[in-house]
Amino acid sequence: MLLVVTYSRDARTSLRNVCRSHEAATVRQFGRAALLADTEFGAFLALRLREKHGDDVQIERTRPLNEYESVPESIREAATAYEAREQPSTPYAKFATGTDHPDPAAMQGREL
Amino acid sequence: MRVVVRDGDDGGLLGDGRAVDLRAEGVDAEAVRAAVRGESTALIVDCPSPSRWWERLGSPGDGTDPLDRVVAAARSRGHHPAVERELAAAERALRSLSIEAVDTDPTRRRLADAGTEVERLREEVATARGRLQSRREMGADTTEAEAALADATRRLSEAETELVAAEQAHDAAQRRAREAREARERRLRLQDRVANRRRDARRALATEVSEAFDDAVDAVPGEATLSTDPLGIVGCEVTAALAAARIADLDAPVVDTTDRFDSVAAAANSLGVPVVRV
């Protein structure tokens, strides 16, 4: 999908108008951002906004995450284990110490 | 305050007093307004210089937003809501914010072109390799095919180098764009703050004069109501404009084109300021 984020009041207003007029091409609208359909028409709408508002419009292409395909098992397990922790106040870094779970800095340094 | 209106060419008196009717003189409203501002030589209007709020309030029925008039009237009476200080601070911060323009269009295009070129040359290399292979199998002369393969391979290698360079340039441009967006993000927040504070200030100003406005509506022809939440004016725009002029501190005369009063004297009485009727 196409993620369109706006950075000015005018651009935000244009985006809202576009989403209102083209519901079929709008997957989701959040305040000053929206997800547009991954179609030529979605791209057309997004590029029109960029043409009109220049750098005040950011366009990114997103895709759903399949964690079983793209995320190492150790990360998935760490997330599951941490959300099942007994002490809700334990920060993750402390939780991971002395276990096989990856430490946050190491995860930050590795690209998906 | 008396107003004296003279013809700019011969100095002939066209009217004077608190209520001046120029309907018989063939003078239009814009000419009178220009004369009040002191910007006309064709017509002379002797009166105190208009206050800065006169532009918005001095011509009922000229299409100015009625709420703008009420807000201007409150300001002319010296009201300064506390929120105006915050508004001024937000406006200053907004003005001092500089936004770097980062154009990532060229790097996106270069990256896309480089990718296409690498794809094309990979196919060319594969084709050249296939041709060389089949000539070898046929026992034919391979000199030319070998040269073609070497040439395609060399061009592919150059294209791959260009692709890496294009990726690096694109990454760098994207990083700069991301940093520049922080400033844009701040600017948007400030723009919203300015808009909100401006709305608050307008509401506060309208609230300050809402009783005076209601009284003024009773003193002028027609009906209008000022609501502070939601902020707006319901009813007749001209009535609202006349009421706003009545409560404002204008210095200079109102230029009346509204046809709401029986006479220009009645208009001057009702509005509490000199009136020039055109």
Side-chain angles (χ1 to χ4, degrees), chain B residues 168-272:
Chain B
Q168 284 167 350
H170 182 59
D171 286 350
Q174 282 214 302
R175 233 180 353 261
R176 276 205 314 282
R178 213 168 294 139
E179 284 160 14
R181 281 189 200 112
E182 304 271 322
R184 282 172 199 272
E185 187 110 32
R186 272 201 300 285
R187 186 184 59 181
L188 179 57
R189 276 201 299 274
L190 282 171
Q191 286 172 338
D192 282 342
R193 186 181 305 163
V194 165
N196 291 335
R197 295 299 176 274
R198 199 168 277 161
R199 198 157 39 232
D200 293 346
R202 282 164 67 83
R203 172 168 293 124
L205 287 162
T207 306
E208 290 276 8
V209 295
S210 77
E211 271 183 37
F213 180 82
D214 290 346
D215 292 344
V217 167
D218 292 339
V220 300
E223 283 306 322
T225 316
L226 170 63
S227 148
T228 50
D229 196 16
L231 192 58
I233 283 173
V234 187
C236 174
E237 280 198 13
V238 172
T239 301
L242 295 172
R246 181 179 156 94
I247 61 175
D249 193 355
L250 285 183
D251 301 339
V254 164
V255 183
D256 180 29
T257 56
T258 65
D259 263 333
R260 288 298 174 98
F261 297 98
D262 293 336
S263 68
V264 61
N269 273 339
S270 175
L271 300 182

Side-chain angles (χ1 to χ4, degrees), chain A residues 5-12 16 32 47 50-51 53-60, chain B residues 99-104 108 174 178 181-182 184-185 187-188 191-193 195-196 199:
Chain A
V5 186
T6 58
Y7 291 85
S8 70
R9 289 170 66 85
D10 290 349
R12 181 174 62 190
R16 285 177 181 164
R32 62 191 184 88
L47 289 177
R50 175 139 72 197
E51 197 59 37
H53 299 288
D55 284 357
D56 285 338
V57 174
Q58 175 188 5
I59 307 173
E60 303 285 340
Chain B
I99 304 283
E100 187 202 352
V102 181
D103 188 1
T104 57
R108 282 200 300 275
Q174 282 214 302
R178 213 168 294 139
R181 281 189 200 112
E182 304 271 322
R184 282 172 199 272
E185 187 110 32
R187 186 184 59 181
L188 179 57
Q191 286 172 338
D192 282 342
R193 186 181 305 163
N196 291 335
R199 198 157 39 232

